[in-house]
Amino acid sequence: MQTTSTFESVLRGMAITVIILFFMFPIFWIFLMSFQTNETILRVPPSPFFEPTLTNYRSLISGRLEGSTATLEIAFMSNLYNSLFLSVTSVTVGLLLGVPAAYAFARLKFRGSEDIAFTLLSFRFAPPLLVLLPLTIYFQQIGLADTYGGLIWVYQLIVLPLILWIVRGYFEDIPADIEYAYRIAGHGFWATFRKIALPLAGPGIAAAGLLAFIFAWNNFIFALVLASADKQPVTVGALAFITASGINYGQIAAGIMLSIAPTFALALYAQRYLVEGLSLGAVKG
Amino acid sequence: MSLELTDLSKSFKDDTVLDGVSLHVPEGKTLVLFGPSGAGKTVLLRLIAGVIEPDTGQIKISGMDVDGVAPEDRNIGMAFQNFALFPHMDAHANIASPLTAQKQDKSAIQAGVQALAKLLKIDHVLGHKPKELSNGQKQRTALARALAGKPKILLLDDPLRNVDAKLRFEMRLELPRLLSDQNATVVYVTQDYKEAMAFGDEIAVINGGVVQQIGTPEQIYLTPANVEIARLFGDPVINFLDVTPQKDATGVFALISDKRVDLDAGYSHVVGQDCSLGIRPESVLFVPEDHPGAVPVTVEAETPLNEKTVNLCLTARGREIMASRPSGTDGPAIGAAFVTIEAANALLFDKLTGALIEPTDIAVKGKVA
Amino acid sequence: MSDVMLNLDAVDKFYGPIDKGVHAVRNLSMTVTRGEIIALLGSSGCGKTSTLRMVAGFEAVSRGRISIGGREIHTLPPVQRNVAMAFEGYSLYPTVTVRDNIAFALKRGNFSAVDVAAKVDEVAEMLEISAILDKYPSSISGGQQQRASLARALIRDADLYLLDEPMGQLEPQLRTLLRGRIKAYIKERGLTAILVTHDQTEANALADRIAVMEDGELQQFASPEDIKKSPANLFTGTFVGEPPMNVFPARTSISETTVSLRLDGDVELSYPVDAFSAELRTRLTEMGEVVLGVRPYAVQRRETGSPATVVANQWLGDQSHIAANFAAGSLVLVEHDRTQLVEDQQIAVHLEPSDLHIFNPKTGMAISHGARLVG
């Protein structure tokens, strides 16, 4: 309705402010922390006023953490690179496998298709730790432990069900008549998939890809167990900030800012797709 | 190319949609599939198109069994009820899609699309995406796409359903000519009996997955095989009165509100049997009281209906009868009036089975066409 | 109590900011008398549903006033307006049976259980849904849901009954049957109803007066006969009437003895000068160019007349629709018996002055109906 009173709009504004504060304050505070030294962070009472410093970022990027007692070498940037590589590759592999599979589940309705689709989803139900122990042993036996390939494979557990279920919903939303029309016009099955189904499910595929990227990026436990230092992503690498000589909050905060930056930027960029993808695909699928 | 369907059946789970449908469409002719929604018409078209497979039965195009032939290899054009345009392609690309499939070169495609677009008066919107087109333009684009590949079999699934009344009327006049110019064998699905009568060389009335009657528009309208079909054709709906034909020295007759209405002599074999007398509203005529066979009625309401005026009347027994006449002609006032029934246009149905009862000597019964 | 049941006074509807958003309803004023059935008729997007929803209270009024029974209601919430509405999208409560859905509207009133049952049975019988009263909404067809929704609205005791495309989902045969029954039901009880429809057959059959809308504007508000006989403008003329009115641009020339209307393609219609009133003749001379309209059933086929070529002849059982090429355009005739015209046959047509509608080509407004000046 258009005719809302001023009182109503003021009230609405206040409510939105409260909600934004509630959700955004932690991120905002960490953002401030990343520009402070441990002393200013830990002072009582805390204050948002301080002299900003870039030392945290500088030491992260150079890979040398200046502690109070010693200097620690940390491969933060290579962790960041690992995260990027693992996430991008996993999502690419996930899309290559998941999108055609989703199409098959949406359109072909073969015997047992529902069961298989559900089984794939059920991978998300299992506690990762439970899967990890046997997996570690197998991986060591077949030489996949501590390889990018092995990690990407395991990451499919996270990525694939997500892509499958979101994209499947999108394919199901395309009226079958549109694909029939293209077939009847004289085009084959694969041409119809490429020229009709893929472009029309585009927003869903993009949304699924983005979400999968975020999930892969944020994964911790698989990489913790299966990857050694040189293959670790940032989520695992951040553990190195907790040292025997204490915790350097400023550097952790800077680490957090750097590691959420890519996903945050992606999410902002693709906000519309994400919301659409989640509300359409996930609910209906 | 002719189209021949033999004993087609199709079920989805426990739901039998088509049950032994056999139809034949000779080359270049139009068959209208007519029936209420859920009758199985759309499924039948999809079987012909090859996008779903029949459970049993055979489809022959030009005498060749097309079992296992993919939809893209059947040389078929189809227009869908909801248009099914490709939303991410402009009108031009939509219409061109059968031509690109045939791998025609660019200039040939361009020329083909232009010619059709001009014919269907959509050449000014070829650059528009479907969502920028009006309903009428969408419908024409869908039609152009169906025609573009010069298919030998054309399937049209209620293509005029989702366009407004004015355009529907225009297309009803235009489309039959367009189709005969294409020289294609056409199967046209509709729920609108006027479209069915205007388009069809033959009409197949389909209901509950079964073909109930096949015939020319004239046969279907004048001698509907059963009560249901009689109801489906005609607006307003045909009137039914319960009668028991009787016979005396002068001939066969029925009593309506205790007034004698003469029937065809050929009905003597159903004397004494419970029947439904079907009378089309245009065959119910208002007459003065002293007219022979005048039946008294009460005129309850008068409503205009397109180019007709419809009177709702009640017989002395309280049965509803509708009478229609051309707009602008004189009609009765609300209240008591008298009607006569044109016996020559009356139809007799078996009360129990609903099947049409034919007079034994058809030559006697003079149909007014 | 006044006889005015509903009054809309200069109502505007904007989607988005006032004066900037989409102007869905433009300066609409209309008055509905107690006991009248009104149809809001127009194509999709003409503002008819927005209007109905403003009356019901589901859309805010951007500007103007609405009153029901003399009481201003446009700022009240829907529940306080005492209107009953049947929705295009059915909107039944899925968790209770059709019977309870219909009875729901009565439960809060002062009716005994027996009365409620009797009323539900009555309305259900009228709408042919007696057999499905004990089913749940999810197990019945769209057409049945729509009738249940209609029953729920009609059974209520309200000042005003709002019916949004109440028969859109029904089969054509059922629609014809129910039209008559619904009209009788509303009339017997003296209810006031507003019907929104895009189907002119329905509007003509049900309504006492039709409000034709286009582009958010009221084009004409009159009885079905008046709209047919004297369409206010070219839009109403060609929108209402099936088959639609034939229209041709024409140039006028008036001599001492004849009124001549020249159409494209060298067709000239000449009439004796006294077939047109003097005022109209003056007006036609002033105009020079006009648009001529003639209803399909008024086109007469004669031995001599203007030449036309048959394009199609379609027999529909009780009438024939004939399309012909005429005056560089096309002409549609309706005849009430089966004519044996075939394609390419030459015919001669005659248009009676009393059947002509003449419009201003620039504004589209009607100049004359039946050779008589408007207004």
Side-chain angles (χ1 to χ4, degrees):
Chain A
M1 293 213 191
Q2 286 76 41
T3 49
T4 41
S5 63
T6 3
F7 176 69
E8 259 178 81
S9 45
V10 167
L11 212 65
R12 191 179 302 170
M14 279 167 61
I16 291 173
T17 314
V18 168
I19 291 168
I20 288 179
L21 268 179
F22 183 79
F23 284 105
M24 295 306 284
F25 183 75
I27 292 177
F28 176 67
W29 196 251
I30 289 168
F31 178 72
L32 291 185
M33 275 166 71
S34 70
F35 293 102
Q36 298 178 57
T37 57
N38 240 14
E39 293 85 73
T40 48
I41 292 169
L42 293 175
R43 85 194 139 173
V44 180
S47 154
F49 303 103
F50 56 89
E51 207 167 293
T53 165
L54 284 173
T55 37
N56 295 325
Y57 287 97
R58 209 172 294 135
S59 52
L60 275 179
I61 291 167
S62 67
R64 298 171 60 83
L65 297 193
E66 311 279 345
S68 48
T69 51
T71 304
L72 179 73
E73 297 276 333
I74 180 170
F76 186 79
M77 288 318 282
S78 86
N79 287 338
L80 207 59
Y81 164 78
N82 282 339
S83 275
L84 203 66
F85 177 75
L86 284 172
S87 307
V88 168
T89 324
S90 306
V91 170
T92 310
V93 172
L95 285 175
L96 286 177
L97 295 175
V99 170
Y103 187 67
F105 285 129
R107 280 286 181 260
L108 300 181
K109 299 285 171 217
F110 47 92
R111 195 139 48 100
S113 61
E114 277 307 312
D115 301 332
I116 299 174
F118 184 76
T119 309
L120 278 165
L121 183 71
S122 70
F123 290 164
R124 301 280 304 156
F125 303 159
L129 267 177
L130 218 65
V131 187
L132 264 172
L133 287 174
L135 212 58
T136 316
I137 299 169
Y138 286 136
F139 268 34
Q140 276 165 356
Q141 282 171 355
I142 56 175
L144 275 175
D146 196 24
T147 61
Y148 282 125
L151 275 175
I152 289 164
W153 190 357
V154 177
Y155 269 37
Q156 296 309 314
L157 281 179
I158 309 162
V159 168
L160 204 52
L162 201 71
I163 291 174
L164 197 74
W165 278 79
I166 293 178
V167 176
R168 177 189 169 177
Y170 262 82
F171 281 135
E172 278 172 349
D173 281 352
I174 303 172
D177 279 353
I178 292 183
E179 288 176 30
Y180 290 161
Y182 204 66
R183 292 288 303 273
I184 293 167
H187 302 267
F189 177 85
W190 286 108
T192 308
F193 176 67
R194 280 189 302 115
K195 292 286 172 57
I196 303 294
L198 276 189
L200 291 182
I205 296 172
L210 281 167
L211 265 184
F213 181 85
I214 292 167
F215 274 63
W217 184 275
N218 289 339
N219 180 264
F220 173 73
I221 195 80
F222 287 131
L224 176 72
V225 177
L226 291 171
S228 63
D230 64 327
K231 309 249 168 15
Q232 272 171 357
V234 272
T235 43
V236 180
L239 285 176
F241 293 121
I242 304 165
T243 61
S245 59
I247 299 170
N248 192 329
Y249 291 104
Q251 286 164 354
I252 292 183
I256 292 174
M257 288 324 291
L258 282 181
S259 61
I260 65 172
T263 47
F264 197 69
L266 255 176
L268 275 183
Y269 167 71
Q271 211 174 14
R272 195 167 52 87
Y273 288 131
L274 270 180
V275 173
E276 248 179 48
L278 284 175
S279 51
L280 262 172
V283 173
K284 284 197 181 167
Chain B
M1 287 193 195
S2 64
L3 177 68
E4 178 124 35
L5 313 178
T6 318
D7 206 21
L8 282 181
S9 295
K10 178 74 188 171
S11 302
F12 294 103
K13 301 223 171 88
D14 294 333
D15 189 14
T16 304
V17 183
L18 291 175
D19 191 4
V21 170
S22 298
L23 291 169
H24 174 74
V25 196
E27 176 161 1
K29 294 287 180 192
T30 298
L31 175 80
V32 170
L33 283 180
F34 177 86
S37 50
K41 310 180 296 282
T42 297
V43 172
L44 191 56
L45 283 199
R46 282 168 191 207
L47 290 179
I48 301 170
V51 291
I52 53 175
E53 304 265 307
D55 296 337
T56 59
Q58 198 180 39
I59 302 168
K60 279 184 176 172
I61 297 177
S62 283
M64 198 189 78
D65 190 343
V66 293
D67 183 35
V69 177
E72 58 268 29
D73 298 326
R74 292 192 180 191
N75 194 11
I76 274 175
M78 181 160 175
F80 294 79
Q81 191 191 103
N82 51 15
F83 313 131
L85 295 174
F86 313 130
H88 55 307
M89 302 181 187
D90 62 19
H92 187 285
N94 265 282
I95 299 169
S97 67
L99 304 174
T100 55
Q102 294 168 2
K103 306 249 181 320
Q104 296 196 4
D105 61 58
K106 272 221 168 93
S107 57
I109 291 176
Q110 188 69 25
V113 172
Q114 277 297 339
L116 264 175
K118 218 175 175 108
L119 185 68
L120 288 165
K121 300 177 200 119
I122 42 170
D123 40 339
H124 57 297
V125 292
L126 282 178
H128 293 204
K129 291 270 176 68
K131 66 165 186 258
E132 299 158 340
L133 299 174
S134 73
N135 251 6
Q137 291 164 343
K138 280 185 202 165
Q139 189 265 330
R140 283 159 187 267
T141 306
L143 204 58
R145 184 179 68 187
L147 296 171
K150 302 219 181 309
K152 286 297 155 213
I153 306 269
L154 199 53
L155 308 175
L156 305 176
D157 187 0
D158 216 343
L160 302 187
R161 183 164 194 196
N162 289 320
V163 300
D164 66 61
K166 198 167 151 188
L167 184 70
R168 190 159 58 223
F169 178 78
E170 282 169 17
M171 289 303 284
R172 200 168 79 207
L173 289 172
E174 227 174 272
L175 204 49
R177 269 225 307 181
L178 191 71
L179 295 180
S180 68
D181 288 349
Q182 295 287 321
N183 196 29
T185 306
V186 184
V187 181
Y188 188 100
V189 161
T190 182
Q191 279 197 56
D192 179 342
Y193 86 91
K194 291 178 189 166
E195 267 171 51
M197 297 197 51
F199 282 16
D201 294 309
E202 279 207 314
I203 301 173
V205 183
I206 182 164
N207 202 353
V210 196
V211 177
Q212 294 196 329
Q213 187 175 8
I214 303 179
T216 61
E218 189 169 339
Q219 284 166 339
I220 304 261
Y221 191 82
L222 297 178
T223 51
N226 57 40
V227 169
E228 241 170 294
I229 298 173
R231 272 184 203 282
L232 289 173
F233 283 76
D235 184 21
V237 180
I238 189 169
N239 300 296
F240 286 107
L241 294 171
D242 291 344
V243 294
T244 312
Q246 301 174 35
K247 194 176 183 180
D248 64 10
T250 52
V252 183
F253 65 96
L255 291 180
I256 295 172
S257 296
D258 297 326
K259 291 286 176 180
R260 181 184 165 124
V261 173
D262 284 319
L263 296 177
D264 193 290
Y267 287 124
S268 57
H269 64 297
V270 287
V271 164
Q273 194 176 314
D274 283 345
C275 295
S276 282
L277 188 67
I279 311 137
R280 300 248 176 233
E282 66 268 21
S283 300
V284 180
L285 307 175
F286 289 98
V287 290
E289 184 174 359
D290 52 8
H291 189 278
V295 177
V297 293
T298 318
V299 179
E300 289 275 298
E302 178 175 297
T303 47
L305 178 77
N306 303 332
E307 298 303 352
K308 289 173 278 189
T309 305
V310 180
N311 284 108
L312 174 67
C313 312
L314 288 182
T315 66
R317 297 258 169 83
R319 298 299 304 264
E320 288 180 2
I321 295 188
M322 300 227 243
S324 75
R325 62 195 150 83
S327 295
T329 54
D330 288 335
I334 301 289
F338 292 87
V339 295
T340 179
I341 287 156
E342 286 185 19
N345 284 352
L347 296 162
L348 210 55
F349 298 91
D350 188 309
K351 179 92 176 92
L352 281 177
T353 63
L356 181 73
I357 300 168
E358 300 261 10
T360 41
D361 183 5
I362 295 164
V364 179
K365 189 175 162 86
K367 285 281 179 204
V368 176
Chain C
M1 215 189 275
S2 96
D3 254 5
V4 174
M5 182 49 95
L6 173 71
N7 186 51
L8 278 79
D9 181 14
V11 170
D12 272 295
K13 174 72 197 173
F14 291 93
Y15 290 99
I18 291 179
D19 287 331
K20 292 198 193 78
V22 178
H23 205 169
V25 176
R26 294 166 191 261
N27 195 23
L28 174 66
S29 295
M30 60 191 281
T31 301
V32 179
T33 313
R34 190 177 298 276
E36 252 190 320
I37 305 177
I38 297 299
L40 297 177
L41 176 69
S43 46
S44 61
C46 75
K48 56 190 194 299
T49 299
S50 296
T51 305
L52 195 75
R53 295 177 72 86
M54 282 192 285
V55 175
F58 301 125
E59 289 291 352
V61 174
S62 304
R63 237 190 335 244
R65 283 193 291 268
I66 301 178
S67 57
I68 294 178
R71 184 172 64 116
E72 269 198 16
I73 49 93
H74 59 275
T75 53
L76 299 178
V79 68
Q80 289 173 24
R81 298 189 181 195
N82 198 22
V83 296
M85 182 154 173
F87 293 87
E88 189 180 1
Y90 339 120
S91 69
L92 299 174
Y93 310 113
T95 51
V96 297
T97 60
V98 172
R99 181 190 300 281
D100 290 343
N101 259 291
I102 299 171
F104 179 81
L106 289 177
K107 287 238 167 88
R108 287 192 285 183
N110 315 316
F111 296 101
S112 70
V114 182
D115 276 356
V116 170
K119 276 173 179 285
V120 172
D121 285 339
E122 184 191 5
V123 75
E125 193 175 332
M126 192 259 304
L127 295 171
E128 305 265 325
I129 47 172
S130 305
I132 52 145
L133 279 179
D134 293 316
K135 294 194 174 175
Y136 284 89
S138 59
S139 65
I140 60 179
S141 73
Q144 290 167 333
Q145 290 189 37
Q146 192 162 40
R147 280 176 279 156
S149 170
L150 185 57
R152 190 176 60 179
L154 288 178
I155 202 171
R156 276 189 53 188
D157 181 21
D159 287 335
L160 198 57
Y161 296 78
L162 307 175
L163 316 176
D164 189 3
E165 300 274 5
M167 292 188 270
Q169 300 289 321
L170 306 188
E171 305 254 313
Q173 284 73 27
L174 195 57
R175 222 181 283 176
T176 349
L177 178 73
L178 293 192
R179 259 181 227 141
R181 293 212 190 146
I182 292 169
K183 182 169 186 173
Y185 184 96
I186 293 175
K187 285 291 169 195
E188 271 166 28
R189 288 161 182 74
L191 313 179
T192 314
I194 300 182
L195 160 85
V196 159
T197 182
H198 70 279
D199 178 357
Q200 50 167 303
T201 310
E202 198 164 296
N204 275 316
L206 276 168
D208 299 312
R209 282 194 293 163
I210 300 176
V212 183
M213 291 183 74
E214 171 68 5
D215 256 347
E217 253 174 284
L218 186 64
Q219 303 289 325
Q220 189 166 10
F221 186 28
S223 71
E225 277 105 73
D226 282 351
I227 287 183
K228 265 209 174 148
K229 282 195 190 122
S230 351
N233 55 33
L234 207 47
F235 176 81
T236 316
T238 51
F239 187 77
V240 183
E242 196 184 326
M245 180 188 269
N246 299 297
V247 290
F248 305 95
R251 287 173 305 282
T252 62
S253 68
I254 296 169
S255 71
E256 293 288 298
T257 52
T258 52
V259 173
S260 140
L261 301 165
R262 255 196 309 279
L263 313 184
D264 293 343
D266 267 345
V267 172
E268 182 163 359
L269 309 173
S270 306
Y271 302 102
V273 81
D274 55 359
F276 294 80
S277 69
E279 303 98 302
L280 179 55
R281 290 201 302 269
T282 321
R283 190 67 201 285
L284 290 178
T285 317
E286 275 167 31
M287 294 292 307
E289 292 191 359
V290 294
V291 172
L292 216 57
V294 61
R295 300 243 176 241
Y297 69 89
V299 179
Q300 300 175 12
R301 212 144 49 81
R302 292 197 175 170
E303 290 296 311
T304 55
S306 312
T309 315
V310 175
V311 173
N313 174 13
Q314 298 179 345
W315 178 65
L316 304 175
D318 60 340
Q319 46 180 239
S320 297
H321 289 179
I322 299 141
N325 283 333
F326 175 73
S330 67
L331 175 79
V332 174
L333 302 73
V334 170
E335 297 192 357
H336 285 273
D337 39 25
R338 189 166 190 189
T339 39
Q340 302 296 339
L341 295 174
V342 293
E343 206 178 318
D344 296 330
Q345 189 171 337
Q346 296 294 319
I347 54 171
V349 296
H350 174 78
L351 310 178
E352 267 297 300
S354 59
D355 291 324
L356 292 181
H357 304 269
I358 300 176
F359 301 93
N360 182 327
K362 291 192 192 73
T363 63
M365 298 308 287
I367 297 169
S368 74
H369 301 297
R372 231 158 283 283
L373 206 57
V374 169

